[in-house]
Amino acid sequence: MEHSHTLTQDQSDGLIRILKTRFETNRNRHPNLKWTAIEERLRKQPHKLWSLNEMERTGGEPDVMERNDLADKIVFYDFSEESPKGRRSLCYDREALESRKNHPPKASAVDMAHQMGIELLTEDDYHRLQKFGPFDLKTSSWLKTPSDIRKLDGSIFGDYRFGRVFIYHNGAQSYYAGRGFRGLLEI
């Protein structure tokens, strides 16, 4: 079944209400931004609204993250307490998925993010997110892996344990019930 990558007016309005409530509840994530400007941009880009809906549908709880380095962009991050439930038990990418001979996972994090129209968080993004956390106290999240690590069949992921952020490595083909991925969407 193929998605049209657009939402109905009712779906759009419902999602915007959810996002506005989350935005207003968590002002510390974006103290210098106004909701009206964000909503205006969202309504002009229905494909981005569809991607945000996918983030919400899979348990990501997207919200705006204020970023000084991207002054002209609005950036939504997944702010769910744990790695989004609808995006767990995934290996890292397509190559890793195809290398699994026995018991392959249903999909890969990179493929799923691409299908959703979002990007995996980088290591820097993950540290930025954790300033508003802690997040991933019981789960972990695949992170966008530098090519030199991926060329060696590895991948990186992060979590929060013992009062600090940890970034680890694993074989890209591995997958666990408690590991998913977090994404971001620039608008």
Side-chain angles (χ1 to χ4, degrees), residues 11-51:
Q11 289 171 320
S12 295
D13 292 344
L15 178 60
I16 285 175
R17 278 192 298 277
I18 290 168
L19 295 172
K20 180 180 181 184
T21 298
R22 191 172 292 134
F23 180 90
E24 291 172 348
T25 302
N26 298 287
R27 292 292 308 161
N28 62 317
R29 297 174 184 165
H30 35 256
N32 300 311
L33 299 177
K34 303 276 187 255
W35 175 254
T36 53
I38 294 165
E39 182 175 345
E40 182 179 321
R41 245 191 231 199
L42 286 173
R43 294 218 184 256
K44 289 180 181 176
Q45 299 183 64
H47 62 287
K48 299 283 187 168
L49 201 53
W50 180 87
S51 293

mmCIF file of all heavy atoms in Angstrom, residues 11-51:
data_model
loop_
_atom_site.group_PDB
_atom_site.id
_atom_site.type_symbol
_atom_site.label_atom_id
_atom_site.label_comp_id
_atom_site.label_asym_id
_atom_site.label_seq_id
_atom_site.Cartn_x
_atom_site.Cartn_y
_atom_site.Cartn_z
ATOM 1 N N GLN A 11 -6.872 15.671 9.241
ATOM 2 C CA GLN A 11 -5.640 15.122 9.789
ATOM 3 C C GLN A 11 -4.615 16.236 10.032
ATOM 4 O O GLN A 11 -3.956 16.264 11.069
ATOM 5 C CB GLN A 11 -5.037 14.086 8.828
ATOM 6 C CG GLN A 11 -5.816 12.796 8.751
ATOM 7 C CD GLN A 11 -5.295 11.897 7.624
ATOM 8 O OE1 GLN A 11 -4.949 12.367 6.532
ATOM 9 N NE2 GLN A 11 -5.252 10.603 7.903
ATOM 10 N N SER A 12 -4.504 17.140 9.078
ATOM 11 C CA SER A 12 -3.575 18.271 9.223
ATOM 12 C C SER A 12 -3.932 19.127 10.422
ATOM 13 O O SER A 12 -3.068 19.468 11.235
ATOM 14 C CB SER A 12 -3.580 19.146 7.964
ATOM 15 O OG SER A 12 -3.088 18.442 6.862
ATOM 16 N N ASP A 13 -5.208 19.464 10.538
ATOM 17 C CA ASP A 13 -5.654 20.299 11.659
ATOM 18 C C ASP A 13 -5.415 19.601 12.990
ATOM 19 O O ASP A 13 -4.976 20.224 13.959
ATOM 20 C CB ASP A 13 -7.131 20.656 11.511
ATOM 21 C CG ASP A 13 -7.402 21.587 10.335
ATOM 22 O OD1 ASP A 13 -6.443 22.205 9.817
ATOM 23 O OD2 ASP A 13 -8.574 21.679 9.917
ATOM 24 N N GLY A 14 -5.695 18.302 13.046
ATOM 25 C CA GLY A 14 -5.481 17.535 14.284
ATOM 26 C C GLY A 14 -4.017 17.487 14.677
ATOM 27 O O GLY A 14 -3.659 17.678 15.845
ATOM 28 N N LEU A 15 -3.149 17.248 13.702
ATOM 29 C CA LEU A 15 -1.715 17.204 13.991
ATOM 30 C C LEU A 15 -1.211 18.573 14.425
ATOM 31 O O LEU A 15 -0.436 18.682 15.375
ATOM 32 C CB LEU A 15 -0.942 16.716 12.761
ATOM 33 C CG LEU A 15 0.585 16.664 12.931
ATOM 34 C CD1 LEU A 15 0.987 15.717 14.059
ATOM 35 C CD2 LEU A 15 1.242 16.263 11.617
ATOM 36 N N ILE A 16 -1.648 19.613 13.763
ATOM 37 C CA ILE A 16 -1.209 20.958 14.136
ATOM 38 C C ILE A 16 -1.638 21.292 15.559
ATOM 39 O O ILE A 16 -0.875 21.906 16.317
ATOM 40 C CB ILE A 16 -1.687 22.003 13.098
ATOM 41 C CG1 ILE A 16 -0.802 21.861 11.855
ATOM 42 C CG2 ILE A 16 -1.642 23.413 13.648
ATOM 43 C CD1 ILE A 16 -1.174 22.709 10.679
ATOM 44 N N ARG A 17 -2.813 20.859 15.977
ATOM 45 C CA ARG A 17 -3.246 21.069 17.375
ATOM 46 C C ARG A 17 -2.297 20.361 18.343
ATOM 47 O O ARG A 17 -1.902 20.929 19.360
ATOM 48 C CB ARG A 17 -4.678 20.577 17.578
ATOM 49 C CG ARG A 17 -5.741 21.567 17.142
ATOM 50 C CD ARG A 17 -7.141 21.181 17.627
ATOM 51 N NE ARG A 17 -7.593 19.904 17.108
ATOM 52 C CZ ARG A 17 -8.158 19.711 15.901
ATOM 53 N NH1 ARG A 17 -8.334 20.750 15.093
ATOM 54 N NH2 ARG A 17 -8.543 18.521 15.515
ATOM 55 N N ILE A 18 -1.930 19.119 18.020
ATOM 56 C CA ILE A 18 -1.003 18.363 18.873
ATOM 57 C C ILE A 18 0.345 19.066 18.942
ATOM 58 O O ILE A 18 0.914 19.258 20.029
ATOM 59 C CB ILE A 18 -0.833 16.921 18.340
ATOM 60 C CG1 ILE A 18 -2.112 16.121 18.546
ATOM 61 C CG2 ILE A 18 0.359 16.221 18.998
ATOM 62 C CD1 ILE A 18 -2.143 14.789 17.789
ATOM 63 N N LEU A 19 0.868 19.466 17.795
ATOM 64 C CA LEU A 19 2.176 20.127 17.751
ATOM 65 C C LEU A 19 2.160 21.468 18.478
ATOM 66 O O LEU A 19 3.114 21.812 19.189
ATOM 67 C CB LEU A 19 2.622 20.318 16.300
ATOM 68 C CG LEU A 19 2.880 19.036 15.501
ATOM 69 C CD1 LEU A 19 3.133 19.369 14.027
ATOM 70 C CD2 LEU A 19 4.021 18.231 16.091
ATOM 71 N N LYS A 20 1.075 22.210 18.333
ATOM 72 C CA LYS A 20 0.967 23.504 19.016
ATOM 73 C C LYS A 20 0.935 23.314 20.529
ATOM 74 O O LYS A 20 1.612 24.039 21.265
ATOM 75 C CB LYS A 20 -0.292 24.244 18.553
ATOM 76 C CG LYS A 20 -0.464 25.594 19.213
ATOM 77 C CD LYS A 20 -1.719 26.300 18.747
ATOM 78 C CE LYS A 20 -1.850 27.655 19.420
ATOM 79 N NZ LYS A 20 -3.098 28.330 19.064
ATOM 80 N N THR A 21 0.183 22.348 21.000
ATOM 81 C CA THR A 21 0.111 22.081 22.437
ATOM 82 C C THR A 21 1.490 21.689 22.971
ATOM 83 O O THR A 21 1.929 22.183 24.011
ATOM 84 C CB THR A 21 -0.910 20.963 22.735
ATOM 85 O OG1 THR A 21 -2.195 21.414 22.305
ATOM 86 C CG2 THR A 21 -0.953 20.615 24.210
ATOM 87 N N ARG A 22 2.187 20.810 22.250
ATOM 88 C CA ARG A 22 3.526 20.380 22.674
ATOM 89 C C ARG A 22 4.485 21.569 22.657
ATOM 90 O O ARG A 22 5.303 21.733 23.560
ATOM 91 C CB ARG A 22 4.027 19.266 21.761
ATOM 92 C CG ARG A 22 5.275 18.586 22.256
ATOM 93 C CD ARG A 22 5.627 17.365 21.437
ATOM 94 N NE ARG A 22 4.650 16.309 21.635
ATOM 95 C CZ ARG A 22 4.105 15.590 20.647
ATOM 96 N NH1 ARG A 22 4.457 15.784 19.389
ATOM 97 N NH2 ARG A 22 3.222 14.654 20.916
ATOM 98 N N PHE A 23 4.386 22.409 21.638
ATOM 99 C CA PHE A 23 5.225 23.599 21.514
ATOM 100 C C PHE A 23 5.014 24.523 22.713
ATOM 101 O O PHE A 23 5.975 25.002 23.315
ATOM 102 C CB PHE A 23 4.878 24.319 20.208
ATOM 103 C CG PHE A 23 5.666 25.563 19.950
ATOM 104 C CD1 PHE A 23 6.866 25.502 19.257
ATOM 105 C CD2 PHE A 23 5.203 26.806 20.372
ATOM 106 C CE1 PHE A 23 7.597 26.664 19.001
ATOM 107 C CE2 PHE A 23 5.922 27.956 20.123
ATOM 108 C CZ PHE A 23 7.124 27.895 19.436
ATOM 109 N N GLU A 24 3.758 24.771 23.059
ATOM 110 C CA GLU A 24 3.447 25.681 24.159
ATOM 111 C C GLU A 24 3.802 25.093 25.515
ATOM 112 O O GLU A 24 4.167 25.816 26.438
ATOM 113 C CB GLU A 24 1.971 26.080 24.096
ATOM 114 C CG GLU A 24 1.677 26.961 22.896
ATOM 115 C CD GLU A 24 0.201 27.242 22.676
ATOM 116 O OE1 GLU A 24 -0.655 26.587 23.303
ATOM 117 O OE2 GLU A 24 -0.089 28.115 21.836
ATOM 118 N N THR A 25 3.722 23.781 25.645
ATOM 119 C CA THR A 25 4.034 23.110 26.907
ATOM 120 C C THR A 25 5.539 23.080 27.166
ATOM 121 O O THR A 25 5.963 23.039 28.312
ATOM 122 C CB THR A 25 3.479 21.665 26.884
ATOM 123 O OG1 THR A 25 2.070 21.723 26.659
ATOM 124 C CG2 THR A 25 3.753 20.934 28.180
ATOM 125 N N ASN A 26 6.330 23.101 26.121
ATOM 126 C CA ASN A 26 7.786 22.947 26.240
ATOM 127 C C ASN A 26 8.532 24.162 25.697
ATOM 128 O O ASN A 26 9.445 24.035 24.889
ATOM 129 C CB ASN A 26 8.228 21.676 25.492
ATOM 130 C CG ASN A 26 7.606 20.444 26.076
ATOM 131 O OD1 ASN A 26 7.978 20.004 27.145
ATOM 132 N ND2 ASN A 26 6.631 19.890 25.369
ATOM 133 N N ARG A 27 8.181 25.331 26.175
ATOM 134 C CA ARG A 27 8.774 26.593 25.684
ATOM 135 C C ARG A 27 10.292 26.632 25.872
ATOM 136 O O ARG A 27 10.990 27.320 25.135
ATOM 137 C CB ARG A 27 8.142 27.790 26.399
ATOM 138 C CG ARG A 27 6.683 28.046 26.059
ATOM 139 C CD ARG A 27 6.426 28.508 24.665
ATOM 140 N NE ARG A 27 7.246 29.653 24.311
ATOM 141 C CZ ARG A 27 7.493 30.031 23.066
ATOM 142 N NH1 ARG A 27 6.970 29.388 22.053
ATOM 143 N NH2 ARG A 27 8.254 31.058 22.812
ATOM 144 N N ASN A 28 10.823 25.898 26.844
ATOM 145 C CA ASN A 28 12.271 25.912 27.085
ATOM 146 C C ASN A 28 13.065 25.383 25.881
ATOM 147 O O ASN A 28 14.245 25.673 25.747
ATOM 148 C CB ASN A 28 12.616 25.094 28.325
ATOM 149 C CG ASN A 28 12.232 23.621 28.181
ATOM 150 O OD1 ASN A 28 11.158 23.279 27.682
ATOM 151 N ND2 ASN A 28 13.109 22.737 28.633
ATOM 152 N N ARG A 29 12.434 24.619 25.000
ATOM 153 C CA ARG A 29 13.114 24.086 23.822
ATOM 154 C C ARG A 29 13.253 25.120 22.701
ATOM 155 O O ARG A 29 14.062 24.946 21.797
ATOM 156 C CB ARG A 29 12.339 22.887 23.263
ATOM 157 C CG ARG A 29 12.264 21.726 24.230
ATOM 158 C CD ARG A 29 11.358 20.646 23.683
ATOM 159 N NE ARG A 29 11.201 19.555 24.630
ATOM 160 C CZ ARG A 29 10.260 18.618 24.547
ATOM 161 N NH1 ARG A 29 9.404 18.626 23.528
ATOM 162 N NH2 ARG A 29 10.185 17.674 25.460
ATOM 163 N N HIS A 30 12.459 26.175 22.781
ATOM 164 C CA HIS A 30 12.413 27.175 21.705
ATOM 165 C C HIS A 30 11.909 28.517 22.230
ATOM 166 O O HIS A 30 10.886 29.019 21.756
ATOM 167 C CB HIS A 30 11.507 26.676 20.570
ATOM 168 C CG HIS A 30 10.336 25.889 21.081
ATOM 169 N ND1 HIS A 30 10.283 24.527 21.003
ATOM 170 C CD2 HIS A 30 9.207 26.267 21.720
ATOM 171 C CE1 HIS A 30 9.162 24.099 21.557
ATOM 172 N NE2 HIS A 30 8.499 25.145 21.997
ATOM 173 N N PRO A 31 12.596 29.119 23.199
ATOM 174 C CA PRO A 31 12.085 30.338 23.845
ATOM 175 C C PRO A 31 11.949 31.545 22.933
ATOM 176 O O PRO A 31 11.170 32.452 23.225
ATOM 177 C CB PRO A 31 13.105 30.607 24.958
ATOM 178 C CG PRO A 31 14.349 29.921 24.516
ATOM 179 C CD PRO A 31 13.899 28.723 23.729
ATOM 180 N N ASN A 32 12.654 31.575 21.823
ATOM 181 C CA ASN A 32 12.629 32.755 20.949
ATOM 182 C C ASN A 32 11.767 32.589 19.713
ATOM 183 O O ASN A 32 11.778 33.448 18.834
ATOM 184 C CB ASN A 32 14.058 33.114 20.541
ATOM 185 C CG ASN A 32 14.915 33.422 21.751
ATOM 186 O OD1 ASN A 32 14.514 34.203 22.610
ATOM 187 N ND2 ASN A 32 16.071 32.796 21.841
ATOM 188 N N LEU A 33 11.027 31.493 19.621
ATOM 189 C CA LEU A 33 10.206 31.239 18.441
ATOM 190 C C LEU A 33 8.732 31.441 18.751
ATOM 191 O O LEU A 33 8.289 31.240 19.881
ATOM 192 C CB LEU A 33 10.448 29.818 17.931
ATOM 193 C CG LEU A 33 11.881 29.506 17.487
ATOM 194 C CD1 LEU A 33 11.997 28.049 17.063
ATOM 195 C CD2 LEU A 33 12.311 30.421 16.358
ATOM 196 N N LYS A 34 7.983 31.787 17.729
ATOM 197 C CA LYS A 34 6.527 31.989 17.839
ATOM 198 C C LYS A 34 5.813 30.907 17.044
ATOM 199 O O LYS A 34 6.198 30.600 15.905
ATOM 200 C CB LYS A 34 6.126 33.364 17.285
ATOM 201 C CG LYS A 34 6.834 34.516 17.948
ATOM 202 C CD LYS A 34 6.138 34.914 19.221
ATOM 203 C CE LYS A 34 6.732 36.168 19.814
ATOM 204 N NZ LYS A 34 7.548 35.960 20.967
ATOM 205 N N TRP A 35 4.755 30.358 17.631
ATOM 206 C CA TRP A 35 4.029 29.275 16.971
ATOM 207 C C TRP A 35 3.423 29.714 15.640
ATOM 208 O O TRP A 35 3.407 28.950 14.684
ATOM 209 C CB TRP A 35 2.943 28.693 17.877
ATOM 210 C CG TRP A 35 2.149 27.672 17.123
ATOM 211 C CD1 TRP A 35 0.882 27.798 16.642
ATOM 212 C CD2 TRP A 35 2.614 26.396 16.690
ATOM 213 N NE1 TRP A 35 0.521 26.677 15.930
ATOM 214 C CE2 TRP A 35 1.584 25.791 15.953
ATOM 215 C CE3 TRP A 35 3.814 25.696 16.833
ATOM 216 C CZ2 TRP A 35 1.696 24.540 15.372
ATOM 217 C CZ3 TRP A 35 3.931 24.439 16.264
ATOM 218 C CH2 TRP A 35 2.883 23.879 15.539
ATOM 219 N N THR A 36 2.921 30.927 15.542
ATOM 220 C CA THR A 36 2.237 31.350 14.313
ATOM 221 C C THR A 36 3.140 31.238 13.091
ATOM 222 O O THR A 36 2.693 30.808 12.022
ATOM 223 C CB THR A 36 1.704 32.796 14.441
ATOM 224 O OG1 THR A 36 2.778 33.651 14.856
ATOM 225 C CG2 THR A 36 0.562 32.884 15.437
ATOM 226 N N ALA A 37 4.417 31.585 13.223
ATOM 227 C CA ALA A 37 5.347 31.481 12.097
ATOM 228 C C ALA A 37 5.590 30.020 11.715
ATOM 229 O O ALA A 37 5.706 29.686 10.530
ATOM 230 C CB ALA A 37 6.667 32.158 12.454
ATOM 231 N N ILE A 38 5.635 29.165 12.706
ATOM 232 C CA ILE A 38 5.851 27.739 12.446
ATOM 233 C C ILE A 38 4.631 27.143 11.745
ATOM 234 O O ILE A 38 4.758 26.438 10.747
ATOM 235 C CB ILE A 38 6.159 26.996 13.761
ATOM 236 C CG1 ILE A 38 7.499 27.495 14.303
ATOM 237 C CG2 ILE A 38 6.161 25.486 13.563
ATOM 238 C CD1 ILE A 38 7.775 27.133 15.719
ATOM 239 N N GLU A 39 3.454 27.437 12.261
ATOM 240 C CA GLU A 39 2.235 26.910 11.644
ATOM 241 C C GLU A 39 2.099 27.393 10.194
ATOM 242 O O GLU A 39 1.718 26.621 9.312
ATOM 243 C CB GLU A 39 1.000 27.303 12.453
ATOM 244 C CG GLU A 39 -0.267 26.734 11.877
ATOM 245 C CD GLU A 39 -1.505 27.001 12.718
ATOM 246 O OE1 GLU A 39 -1.392 27.384 13.900
ATOM 247 O OE2 GLU A 39 -2.617 26.805 12.179
ATOM 248 N N GLU A 40 2.434 28.646 9.958
ATOM 249 C CA GLU A 40 2.350 29.188 8.602
ATOM 250 C C GLU A 40 3.258 28.405 7.649
ATOM 251 O O GLU A 40 2.857 28.034 6.551
ATOM 252 C CB GLU A 40 2.759 30.669 8.621
ATOM 253 C CG GLU A 40 2.658 31.345 7.281
ATOM 254 C CD GLU A 40 3.051 32.820 7.376
ATOM 255 O OE1 GLU A 40 2.692 33.478 8.379
ATOM 256 O OE2 GLU A 40 3.731 33.290 6.439
ATOM 257 N N ARG A 41 4.472 28.112 8.096
ATOM 258 C CA ARG A 41 5.401 27.332 7.262
ATOM 259 C C ARG A 41 4.891 25.914 7.037
ATOM 260 O O ARG A 41 5.019 25.377 5.944
ATOM 261 C CB ARG A 41 6.764 27.269 7.947
ATOM 262 C CG ARG A 41 7.808 27.983 7.161
ATOM 263 C CD ARG A 41 9.177 27.688 7.689
ATOM 264 N NE ARG A 41 9.844 28.954 7.900
ATOM 265 C CZ ARG A 41 11.136 29.089 8.001
ATOM 266 N NH1 ARG A 41 11.917 28.047 7.946
ATOM 267 N NH2 ARG A 41 11.661 30.259 8.171
ATOM 268 N N LEU A 42 4.345 25.321 8.086
ATOM 269 C CA LEU A 42 3.826 23.956 7.970
ATOM 270 C C LEU A 42 2.699 23.875 6.950
ATOM 271 O O LEU A 42 2.646 22.949 6.142
ATOM 272 C CB LEU A 42 3.335 23.445 9.323
ATOM 273 C CG LEU A 42 4.397 23.079 10.339
ATOM 274 C CD1 LEU A 42 3.754 22.765 11.681
ATOM 275 C CD2 LEU A 42 5.231 21.910 9.851
ATOM 276 N N ARG A 43 1.808 24.809 6.996
ATOM 277 C CA ARG A 43 0.641 24.786 6.095
ATOM 278 C C ARG A 43 1.051 24.981 4.634
ATOM 279 O O ARG A 43 0.357 24.544 3.738
ATOM 280 C CB ARG A 43 -0.377 25.813 6.527
ATOM 281 C CG ARG A 43 -0.981 25.465 7.895
ATOM 282 C CD ARG A 43 -2.427 25.788 7.964
ATOM 283 N NE ARG A 43 -2.988 25.545 9.285
ATOM 284 C CZ ARG A 43 -3.741 24.491 9.572
ATOM 285 N NH1 ARG A 43 -4.022 23.585 8.657
ATOM 286 N NH2 ARG A 43 -4.243 24.358 10.788
ATOM 287 N N LYS A 44 2.192 25.618 4.414
ATOM 288 C CA LYS A 44 2.681 25.823 3.047
ATOM 289 C C LYS A 44 3.453 24.613 2.520
ATOM 290 O O LYS A 44 3.775 24.572 1.337
ATOM 291 C CB LYS A 44 3.590 27.054 2.992
ATOM 292 C CG LYS A 44 2.847 28.356 3.154
ATOM 293 C CD LYS A 44 3.805 29.528 3.100
ATOM 294 C CE LYS A 44 3.059 30.841 3.296
ATOM 295 N NZ LYS A 44 3.989 31.984 3.335
ATOM 296 N N GLN A 45 3.768 23.653 3.399
ATOM 297 C CA GLN A 45 4.568 22.494 2.989
ATOM 298 C C GLN A 45 3.896 21.204 3.455
ATOM 299 O O GLN A 45 4.341 20.569 4.404
ATOM 300 C CB GLN A 45 5.980 22.593 3.581
ATOM 301 C CG GLN A 45 6.720 23.828 3.117
ATOM 302 C CD GLN A 45 8.116 23.862 3.661
ATOM 303 O OE1 GLN A 45 8.927 23.008 3.341
ATOM 304 N NE2 GLN A 45 8.411 24.862 4.483
ATOM 305 N N PRO A 46 2.819 20.792 2.796
ATOM 306 C CA PRO A 46 2.068 19.629 3.251
ATOM 307 C C PRO A 46 2.881 18.337 3.307
ATOM 308 O O PRO A 46 2.609 17.476 4.144
ATOM 309 C CB PRO A 46 0.914 19.516 2.256
ATOM 310 C CG PRO A 46 1.228 20.432 1.133
ATOM 311 C CD PRO A 46 2.230 21.419 1.617
ATOM 312 N N HIS A 47 3.898 18.200 2.459
ATOM 313 C CA HIS A 47 4.735 16.996 2.518
ATOM 314 C C HIS A 47 5.542 16.950 3.818
ATOM 315 O O HIS A 47 5.797 15.884 4.360
ATOM 316 C CB HIS A 47 5.650 16.897 1.297
ATOM 317 C CG HIS A 47 6.627 18.020 1.173
ATOM 318 N ND1 HIS A 47 6.261 19.288 0.792
ATOM 319 C CD2 HIS A 47 7.963 18.051 1.397
ATOM 320 C CE1 HIS A 47 7.325 20.064 0.782
ATOM 321 N NE2 HIS A 47 8.378 19.341 1.145
ATOM 322 N N LYS A 48 5.925 18.114 4.345
ATOM 323 C CA LYS A 48 6.627 18.167 5.635
ATOM 324 C C LYS A 48 5.663 17.837 6.767
ATOM 325 O O LYS A 48 6.032 17.168 7.731
ATOM 326 C CB LYS A 48 7.244 19.549 5.859
ATOM 327 C CG LYS A 48 8.272 19.947 4.838
ATOM 328 C CD LYS A 48 9.599 19.268 5.071
ATOM 329 C CE LYS A 48 10.633 19.840 4.116
ATOM 330 N NZ LYS A 48 11.986 19.448 4.449
ATOM 331 N N LEU A 49 4.429 18.285 6.634
ATOM 332 C CA LEU A 49 3.418 17.955 7.632
ATOM 333 C C LEU A 49 3.174 16.445 7.643
ATOM 334 O O LEU A 49 3.019 15.838 8.698
ATOM 335 C CB LEU A 49 2.128 18.728 7.331
ATOM 336 C CG LEU A 49 1.149 18.905 8.472
ATOM 337 C CD1 LEU A 49 1.787 19.504 9.703
ATOM 338 C CD2 LEU A 49 -0.022 19.752 8.021
ATOM 339 N N TRP A 50 3.190 15.827 6.465
ATOM 340 C CA TRP A 50 3.048 14.368 6.379
ATOM 341 C C TRP A 50 4.194 13.681 7.131
ATOM 342 O O TRP A 50 3.973 12.730 7.881
ATOM 343 C CB TRP A 50 3.018 13.920 4.912
ATOM 344 C CG TRP A 50 2.866 12.437 4.789
ATOM 345 C CD1 TRP A 50 1.703 11.729 4.774
ATOM 346 C CD2 TRP A 50 3.927 11.472 4.698
ATOM 347 N NE1 TRP A 50 1.976 10.378 4.683
ATOM 348 C CE2 TRP A 50 3.334 10.199 4.632
ATOM 349 C CE3 TRP A 50 5.311 11.562 4.676
ATOM 350 C CZ2 TRP A 50 4.077 9.021 4.541
ATOM 351 C CZ3 TRP A 50 6.064 10.399 4.579
ATOM 352 C CH2 TRP A 50 5.433 9.143 4.517
ATOM 353 N N SER A 51 5.427 14.166 6.939
ATOM 354 C CA SER A 51 6.576 13.580 7.638
ATOM 355 C C SER A 51 6.448 13.748 9.148
ATOM 356 O O SER A 51 6.747 12.822 9.908
ATOM 357 C CB SER A 51 7.882 14.219 7.151
ATOM 358 O OG SER A 51 8.137 13.868 5.806
#
